[in-house]
Amino acid sequence: MIGAMNRAVSLASVALAAAAAAACAPPPDPPSPVRVSVARFFADEDYPAEAIRRDEQGIVEFELDVGKDGRVRRCTVTASSGSPLLDSTTCRLVTQRARFEPRTDADGRPMRARYVSRLTWRIPDQPEG
């Protein structure tokens, strides 16, 4: 009888430990990132004046974590343009402006998603003066 009780207590302990681990586990990572274009969220007027003065140009590659509501939760530069100002401006503006149609799971429920993109910063043509 005592042996059976010990096994029952052991099984209950294992079940409780598994339930506790599942409750504390971070949410699963979103599916593999999808490549998207974000150029429509940017205009020539967004080019930082300081970057123009320094003649800074380049390509910023980045990854976006997007919530179930389609809003950008985090932007991470994965390959720098070589200009910290252009890199930070990219993430700041895409986080403020970009909205995505939420991805859905098999049951049609919105889910988190990851997107990858790149933005080319080229100094806009200056009017002749």
PDB file of all heavy atoms in Angstrom, residues 53-82:
ATOM      1  N   ARG A  53      24.055  65.562 -44.579  1.00  0.00           N
ATOM      2  CA  ARG A  53      25.266  66.387 -44.410  1.00  0.00           C
ATOM      3  C   ARG A  53      26.527  65.511 -44.391  1.00  0.00           C
ATOM      4  O   ARG A  53      27.570  65.902 -44.885  1.00  0.00           O
ATOM      5  CB  ARG A  53      25.189  67.205 -43.120  1.00  0.00           C
ATOM      6  CG  ARG A  53      24.333  68.450 -43.236  1.00  0.00           C
ATOM      7  CD  ARG A  53      24.510  69.392 -42.052  1.00  0.00           C
ATOM      8  NE  ARG A  53      23.970  68.857 -40.816  1.00  0.00           N
ATOM      9  CZ  ARG A  53      22.672  68.848 -40.476  1.00  0.00           C
ATOM     10  NH1 ARG A  53      21.780  69.353 -41.303  1.00  0.00           N
ATOM     11  NH2 ARG A  53      22.272  68.360 -39.331  1.00  0.00           N
ATOM     12  N   ARG A  54      26.416  64.330 -43.803  1.00  0.00           N
ATOM     13  CA  ARG A  54      27.567  63.424 -43.711  1.00  0.00           C
ATOM     14  C   ARG A  54      27.717  62.530 -44.950  1.00  0.00           C
ATOM     15  O   ARG A  54      28.613  61.698 -44.995  1.00  0.00           O
ATOM     16  CB  ARG A  54      27.414  62.518 -42.494  1.00  0.00           C
ATOM     17  CG  ARG A  54      27.474  63.230 -41.178  1.00  0.00           C
ATOM     18  CD  ARG A  54      27.323  62.193 -40.080  1.00  0.00           C
ATOM     19  NE  ARG A  54      27.084  62.799 -38.796  1.00  0.00           N
ATOM     20  CZ  ARG A  54      26.622  62.152 -37.749  1.00  0.00           C
ATOM     21  NH1 ARG A  54      26.326  60.857 -37.823  1.00  0.00           N
ATOM     22  NH2 ARG A  54      26.439  62.772 -36.620  1.00  0.00           N
ATOM     23  N   ASP A  55      26.807  62.694 -45.902  1.00  0.00           N
ATOM     24  CA  ASP A  55      26.811  61.890 -47.123  1.00  0.00           C
ATOM     25  C   ASP A  55      26.700  60.396 -46.811  1.00  0.00           C
ATOM     26  O   ASP A  55      27.345  59.553 -47.413  1.00  0.00           O
ATOM     27  CB  ASP A  55      28.067  62.178 -47.952  1.00  0.00           C
ATOM     28  CG  ASP A  55      27.918  61.708 -49.392  1.00  0.00           C
ATOM     29  OD1 ASP A  55      26.782  61.749 -49.923  1.00  0.00           O
ATOM     30  OD2 ASP A  55      28.927  61.260 -49.977  1.00  0.00           O
ATOM     31  N   GLU A  56      25.822  60.069 -45.851  1.00  0.00           N
ATOM     32  CA  GLU A  56      25.624  58.676 -45.440  1.00  0.00           C
ATOM     33  C   GLU A  56      24.500  58.045 -46.253  1.00  0.00           C
ATOM     34  O   GLU A  56      23.396  58.585 -46.340  1.00  0.00           O
ATOM     35  CB  GLU A  56      25.298  58.603 -43.947  1.00  0.00           C
ATOM     36  CG  GLU A  56      26.440  59.063 -43.080  1.00  0.00           C
ATOM     37  CD  GLU A  56      26.114  59.077 -41.600  1.00  0.00           C
ATOM     38  OE1 GLU A  56      24.921  59.008 -41.227  1.00  0.00           O
ATOM     39  OE2 GLU A  56      27.061  59.162 -40.806  1.00  0.00           O
ATOM     40  N   GLN A  57      24.793  56.888 -46.822  1.00  0.00           N
ATOM     41  CA  GLN A  57      23.844  56.112 -47.602  1.00  0.00           C
ATOM     42  C   GLN A  57      24.099  54.643 -47.292  1.00  0.00           C
ATOM     43  O   GLN A  57      25.153  54.294 -46.761  1.00  0.00           O
ATOM     44  CB  GLN A  57      24.030  56.346 -49.102  1.00  0.00           C
ATOM     45  CG  GLN A  57      23.908  57.796 -49.512  1.00  0.00           C
ATOM     46  CD  GLN A  57      24.021  57.971 -51.003  1.00  0.00           C
ATOM     47  OE1 GLN A  57      23.028  57.809 -51.699  1.00  0.00           O
ATOM     48  NE2 GLN A  57      25.205  58.298 -51.499  1.00  0.00           N
ATOM     49  N   GLY A  58      23.153  53.792 -47.642  1.00  0.00           N
ATOM     50  CA  GLY A  58      23.393  52.372 -47.455  1.00  0.00           C
ATOM     51  C   GLY A  58      22.112  51.578 -47.344  1.00  0.00           C
ATOM     52  O   GLY A  58      21.003  52.118 -47.426  1.00  0.00           O
ATOM     53  N   ILE A  59      22.280  50.279 -47.160  1.00  0.00           N
ATOM     54  CA  ILE A  59      21.152  49.347 -47.059  1.00  0.00           C
ATOM     55  C   ILE A  59      21.071  48.833 -45.630  1.00  0.00           C
ATOM     56  O   ILE A  59      22.060  48.328 -45.090  1.00  0.00           O
ATOM     57  CB  ILE A  59      21.325  48.169 -48.036  1.00  0.00           C
ATOM     58  CG1 ILE A  59      21.368  48.680 -49.472  1.00  0.00           C
ATOM     59  CG2 ILE A  59      20.212  47.138 -47.849  1.00  0.00           C
ATOM     60  CD1 ILE A  59      21.770  47.620 -50.486  1.00  0.00           C
ATOM     61  N   VAL A  60      19.892  48.954 -45.043  1.00  0.00           N
ATOM     62  CA  VAL A  60      19.631  48.426 -43.699  1.00  0.00           C
ATOM     63  C   VAL A  60      18.792  47.166 -43.864  1.00  0.00           C
ATOM     64  O   VAL A  60      17.733  47.194 -44.490  1.00  0.00           O
ATOM     65  CB  VAL A  60      18.834  49.439 -42.837  1.00  0.00           C
ATOM     66  CG1 VAL A  60      18.599  48.881 -41.438  1.00  0.00           C
ATOM     67  CG2 VAL A  60      19.530  50.782 -42.778  1.00  0.00           C
ATOM     68  N   GLU A  61      19.270  46.060 -43.318  1.00  0.00           N
ATOM     69  CA  GLU A  61      18.479  44.836 -43.286  1.00  0.00           C
ATOM     70  C   GLU A  61      17.987  44.676 -41.860  1.00  0.00           C
ATOM     71  O   GLU A  61      18.735  44.914 -40.899  1.00  0.00           O
ATOM     72  CB  GLU A  61      19.318  43.635 -43.716  1.00  0.00           C
ATOM     73  CG  GLU A  61      19.724  43.724 -45.176  1.00  0.00           C
ATOM     74  CD  GLU A  61      20.506  42.521 -45.658  1.00  0.00           C
ATOM     75  OE1 GLU A  61      20.514  41.476 -44.969  1.00  0.00           O
ATOM     76  OE2 GLU A  61      21.100  42.623 -46.736  1.00  0.00           O
ATOM     77  N   PHE A  62      16.713  44.273 -41.715  1.00  0.00           N
ATOM     78  CA  PHE A  62      16.144  44.202 -40.374  1.00  0.00           C
ATOM     79  C   PHE A  62      15.051  43.148 -40.293  1.00  0.00           C
ATOM     80  O   PHE A  62      14.547  42.669 -41.306  1.00  0.00           O
ATOM     81  CB  PHE A  62      15.585  45.574 -39.959  1.00  0.00           C
ATOM     82  CG  PHE A  62      14.620  46.169 -40.941  1.00  0.00           C
ATOM     83  CD1 PHE A  62      13.256  46.011 -40.779  1.00  0.00           C
ATOM     84  CD2 PHE A  62      15.080  46.884 -42.039  1.00  0.00           C
ATOM     85  CE1 PHE A  62      12.364  46.559 -41.694  1.00  0.00           C
ATOM     86  CE2 PHE A  62      14.197  47.439 -42.952  1.00  0.00           C
ATOM     87  CZ  PHE A  62      12.831  47.277 -42.780  1.00  0.00           C
ATOM     88  N   GLU A  63      14.728  42.799 -39.059  1.00  0.00           N
ATOM     89  CA  GLU A  63      13.673  41.828 -38.782  1.00  0.00           C
ATOM     90  C   GLU A  63      12.654  42.486 -37.871  1.00  0.00           C
ATOM     91  O   GLU A  63      13.013  43.217 -36.948  1.00  0.00           O
ATOM     92  CB  GLU A  63      14.271  40.595 -38.103  1.00  0.00           C
ATOM     93  CG  GLU A  63      13.253  39.515 -37.833  1.00  0.00           C
ATOM     94  CD  GLU A  63      13.882  38.233 -37.316  1.00  0.00           C
ATOM     95  OE1 GLU A  63      14.541  37.550 -38.120  1.00  0.00           O
ATOM     96  OE2 GLU A  63      13.726  37.948 -36.131  1.00  0.00           O
ATOM     97  N   LEU A  64      11.385  42.235 -38.142  1.00  0.00           N
ATOM     98  CA  LEU A  64      10.293  42.798 -37.348  1.00  0.00           C
ATOM     99  C   LEU A  64       9.543  41.682 -36.636  1.00  0.00           C
ATOM    100  O   LEU A  64       9.204  40.674 -37.247  1.00  0.00           O
ATOM    101  CB  LEU A  64       9.308  43.542 -38.248  1.00  0.00           C
ATOM    102  CG  LEU A  64       9.878  44.669 -39.109  1.00  0.00           C
ATOM    103  CD1 LEU A  64       8.815  45.192 -40.062  1.00  0.00           C
ATOM    104  CD2 LEU A  64      10.422  45.780 -38.228  1.00  0.00           C
ATOM    105  N   ASP A  65       9.302  41.881 -35.358  1.00  0.00           N
ATOM    106  CA  ASP A  65       8.385  41.011 -34.620  1.00  0.00           C
ATOM    107  C   ASP A  65       7.059  41.748 -34.594  1.00  0.00           C
ATOM    108  O   ASP A  65       6.984  42.893 -34.123  1.00  0.00           O
ATOM    109  CB  ASP A  65       8.876  40.776 -33.197  1.00  0.00           C
ATOM    110  CG  ASP A  65      10.107  39.877 -33.156  1.00  0.00           C
ATOM    111  OD1 ASP A  65      10.263  39.059 -34.073  1.00  0.00           O
ATOM    112  OD2 ASP A  65      10.889  39.995 -32.205  1.00  0.00           O
ATOM    113  N   VAL A  66       6.026  41.108 -35.110  1.00  0.00           N
ATOM    114  CA  VAL A  66       4.711  41.737 -35.240  1.00  0.00           C
ATOM    115  C   VAL A  66       3.724  40.990 -34.358  1.00  0.00           C
ATOM    116  O   VAL A  66       3.662  39.762 -34.364  1.00  0.00           O
ATOM    117  CB  VAL A  66       4.258  41.724 -36.720  1.00  0.00           C
ATOM    118  CG1 VAL A  66       2.861  42.300 -36.866  1.00  0.00           C
ATOM    119  CG2 VAL A  66       5.253  42.514 -37.563  1.00  0.00           C
ATOM    120  N   GLY A  67       2.957  41.758 -33.572  1.00  0.00           N
ATOM    121  CA  GLY A  67       1.980  41.175 -32.668  1.00  0.00           C
ATOM    122  C   GLY A  67       0.729  40.697 -33.380  1.00  0.00           C
ATOM    123  O   GLY A  67       0.548  40.912 -34.583  1.00  0.00           O
ATOM    124  N   LYS A  68      -0.151  40.079 -32.609  1.00  0.00           N
ATOM    125  CA  LYS A  68      -1.405  39.555 -33.151  1.00  0.00           C
ATOM    126  C   LYS A  68      -2.279  40.652 -33.734  1.00  0.00           C
ATOM    127  O   LYS A  68      -3.152  40.400 -34.551  1.00  0.00           O
ATOM    128  CB  LYS A  68      -2.177  38.822 -32.056  1.00  0.00           C
ATOM    129  CG  LYS A  68      -1.497  37.582 -31.570  1.00  0.00           C
ATOM    130  CD  LYS A  68      -2.294  36.954 -30.428  1.00  0.00           C
ATOM    131  CE  LYS A  68      -1.597  35.736 -29.879  1.00  0.00           C
ATOM    132  NZ  LYS A  68      -2.370  35.114 -28.802  1.00  0.00           N
ATOM    133  N   ASP A  69      -2.041  41.894 -33.298  1.00  0.00           N
ATOM    134  CA  ASP A  69      -2.827  43.025 -33.786  1.00  0.00           C
ATOM    135  C   ASP A  69      -2.234  43.649 -35.054  1.00  0.00           C
ATOM    136  O   ASP A  69      -2.762  44.632 -35.569  1.00  0.00           O
ATOM    137  CB  ASP A  69      -2.960  44.088 -32.698  1.00  0.00           C
ATOM    138  CG  ASP A  69      -1.614  44.645 -32.247  1.00  0.00           C
ATOM    139  OD1 ASP A  69      -0.551  44.175 -32.719  1.00  0.00           O
ATOM    140  OD2 ASP A  69      -1.623  45.549 -31.393  1.00  0.00           O
ATOM    141  N   GLY A  70      -1.112  43.101 -35.549  1.00  0.00           N
ATOM    142  CA  GLY A  70      -0.499  43.608 -36.773  1.00  0.00           C
ATOM    143  C   GLY A  70       0.468  44.757 -36.556  1.00  0.00           C
ATOM    144  O   GLY A  70       1.030  45.283 -37.508  1.00  0.00           O
ATOM    145  N   ARG A  71       0.691  45.141 -35.303  1.00  0.00           N
ATOM    146  CA  ARG A  71       1.609  46.246 -35.000  1.00  0.00           C
ATOM    147  C   ARG A  71       3.011  45.703 -34.711  1.00  0.00           C
ATOM    148  O   ARG A  71       3.176  44.650 -34.119  1.00  0.00           O
ATOM    149  CB  ARG A  71       1.107  47.044 -33.810  1.00  0.00           C
ATOM    150  CG  ARG A  71      -0.233  47.717 -34.094  1.00  0.00           C
ATOM    151  CD  ARG A  71      -0.768  48.412 -32.856  1.00  0.00           C
ATOM    152  NE  ARG A  71       0.024  49.578 -32.538  1.00  0.00           N
ATOM    153  CZ  ARG A  71      -0.294  50.819 -32.887  1.00  0.00           C
ATOM    154  NH1 ARG A  71      -1.396  51.047 -33.548  1.00  0.00           N
ATOM    155  NH2 ARG A  71       0.471  51.829 -32.549  1.00  0.00           N
ATOM    156  N   VAL A  72       4.015  46.473 -35.124  1.00  0.00           N
ATOM    157  CA  VAL A  72       5.407  46.089 -34.894  1.00  0.00           C
ATOM    158  C   VAL A  72       5.709  46.212 -33.405  1.00  0.00           C
ATOM    159  O   VAL A  72       5.490  47.263 -32.807  1.00  0.00           O
ATOM    160  CB  VAL A  72       6.365  46.972 -35.720  1.00  0.00           C
ATOM    161  CG1 VAL A  72       7.816  46.644 -35.391  1.00  0.00           C
ATOM    162  CG2 VAL A  72       6.090  46.820 -37.209  1.00  0.00           C
ATOM    163  N   ARG A  73       6.191  45.133 -32.823  1.00  0.00           N
ATOM    164  CA  ARG A  73       6.560  45.104 -31.409  1.00  0.00           C
ATOM    165  C   ARG A  73       8.050  45.322 -31.207  1.00  0.00           C
ATOM    166  O   ARG A  73       8.469  45.831 -30.173  1.00  0.00           O
ATOM    167  CB  ARG A  73       6.170  43.764 -30.774  1.00  0.00           C
ATOM    168  CG  ARG A  73       4.696  43.480 -30.846  1.00  0.00           C
ATOM    169  CD  ARG A  73       3.956  44.434 -29.937  1.00  0.00           C
ATOM    170  NE  ARG A  73       2.528  44.171 -30.004  1.00  0.00           N
ATOM    171  CZ  ARG A  73       1.615  45.113 -30.027  1.00  0.00           C
ATOM    172  NH1 ARG A  73       1.963  46.373 -29.990  1.00  0.00           N
ATOM    173  NH2 ARG A  73       0.342  44.820 -30.076  1.00  0.00           N
ATOM    174  N   ARG A  74       8.842  44.879 -32.210  1.00  0.00           N
ATOM    175  CA  ARG A  74      10.292  45.018 -32.087  1.00  0.00           C
ATOM    176  C   ARG A  74      10.893  45.027 -33.478  1.00  0.00           C
ATOM    177  O   ARG A  74      10.450  44.308 -34.362  1.00  0.00           O
ATOM    178  CB  ARG A  74      10.864  43.857 -31.276  1.00  0.00           C
ATOM    179  CG  ARG A  74      12.361  43.979 -30.997  1.00  0.00           C
ATOM    180  CD  ARG A  74      12.837  42.881 -30.071  1.00  0.00           C
ATOM    181  NE  ARG A  74      12.485  41.581 -30.618  1.00  0.00           N
ATOM    182  CZ  ARG A  74      13.344  40.611 -30.844  1.00  0.00           C
ATOM    183  NH1 ARG A  74      14.605  40.750 -30.554  1.00  0.00           N
ATOM    184  NH2 ARG A  74      12.949  39.460 -31.348  1.00  0.00           N
ATOM    185  N   CYS A  75      11.919  45.849 -33.640  1.00  0.00           N
ATOM    186  CA  CYS A  75      12.682  45.919 -34.882  1.00  0.00           C
ATOM    187  C   CYS A  75      14.140  45.684 -34.522  1.00  0.00           C
ATOM    188  O   CYS A  75      14.668  46.334 -33.613  1.00  0.00           O
ATOM    189  CB  CYS A  75      12.507  47.299 -35.527  1.00  0.00           C
ATOM    190  SG  CYS A  75      13.542  47.561 -36.994  1.00  0.00           S
ATOM    191  N   THR A  76      14.760  44.759 -35.224  1.00  0.00           N
ATOM    192  CA  THR A  76      16.162  44.433 -34.979  1.00  0.00           C
ATOM    193  C   THR A  76      16.939  44.562 -36.272  1.00  0.00           C
ATOM    194  O   THR A  76      16.589  43.929 -37.276  1.00  0.00           O
ATOM    195  CB  THR A  76      16.295  42.976 -34.464  1.00  0.00           C
ATOM    196  OG1 THR A  76      15.470  42.816 -33.316  1.00  0.00           O
ATOM    197  CG2 THR A  76      17.729  42.640 -34.128  1.00  0.00           C
ATOM    198  N   VAL A  77      17.982  45.395 -36.266  1.00  0.00           N
ATOM    199  CA  VAL A  77      18.850  45.527 -37.434  1.00  0.00           C
ATOM    200  C   VAL A  77      19.707  44.275 -37.517  1.00  0.00           C
ATOM    201  O   VAL A  77      20.393  43.912 -36.552  1.00  0.00           O
ATOM    202  CB  VAL A  77      19.727  46.791 -37.338  1.00  0.00           C
ATOM    203  CG1 VAL A  77      20.749  46.834 -38.470  1.00  0.00           C
ATOM    204  CG2 VAL A  77      18.851  48.045 -37.359  1.00  0.00           C
ATOM    205  N   THR A  78      19.640  43.584 -38.642  1.00  0.00           N
ATOM    206  CA  THR A  78      20.419  42.360 -38.832  1.00  0.00           C
ATOM    207  C   THR A  78      21.656  42.594 -39.694  1.00  0.00           C
ATOM    208  O   THR A  78      22.580  41.787 -39.660  1.00  0.00           O
ATOM    209  CB  THR A  78      19.546  41.252 -39.456  1.00  0.00           C
ATOM    210  OG1 THR A  78      18.990  41.720 -40.683  1.00  0.00           O
ATOM    211  CG2 THR A  78      18.418  40.850 -38.510  1.00  0.00           C
ATOM    212  N   ALA A  79      21.672  43.680 -40.464  1.00  0.00           N
ATOM    213  CA  ALA A  79      22.852  44.087 -41.234  1.00  0.00           C
ATOM    214  C   ALA A  79      22.804  45.610 -41.347  1.00  0.00           C
ATOM    215  O   ALA A  79      21.867  46.168 -41.909  1.00  0.00           O
ATOM    216  CB  ALA A  79      22.879  43.437 -42.609  1.00  0.00           C
ATOM    217  N   SER A  80      23.807  46.248 -40.807  1.00  0.00           N
ATOM    218  CA  SER A  80      23.840  47.704 -40.749  1.00  0.00           C
ATOM    219  C   SER A  80      24.146  48.335 -42.100  1.00  0.00           C
ATOM    220  O   SER A  80      24.862  47.769 -42.928  1.00  0.00           O
ATOM    221  CB  SER A  80      24.897  48.150 -39.738  1.00  0.00           C
ATOM    222  OG  SER A  80      25.044  49.559 -39.744  1.00  0.00           O
ATOM    223  N   SER A  81      23.618  49.539 -42.263  1.00  0.00           N
ATOM    224  CA  SER A  81      23.925  50.350 -43.443  1.00  0.00           C
ATOM    225  C   SER A  81      25.318  50.958 -43.331  1.00  0.00           C
ATOM    226  O   SER A  81      25.827  51.514 -44.295  1.00  0.00           O
ATOM    227  CB  SER A  81      22.905  51.477 -43.563  1.00  0.00           C
ATOM    228  OG  SER A  81      23.047  52.371 -42.448  1.00  0.00           O
ATOM    229  N   GLY A  82      25.879  50.884 -42.142  1.00  0.00           N
ATOM    230  CA  GLY A  82      27.142  51.561 -41.872  1.00  0.00           C
ATOM    231  C   GLY A  82      26.921  52.900 -41.186  1.00  0.00           C
ATOM    232  O   GLY A  82      27.858  53.544 -40.748  1.00  0.00           O
TER     233      GLY A  82
END
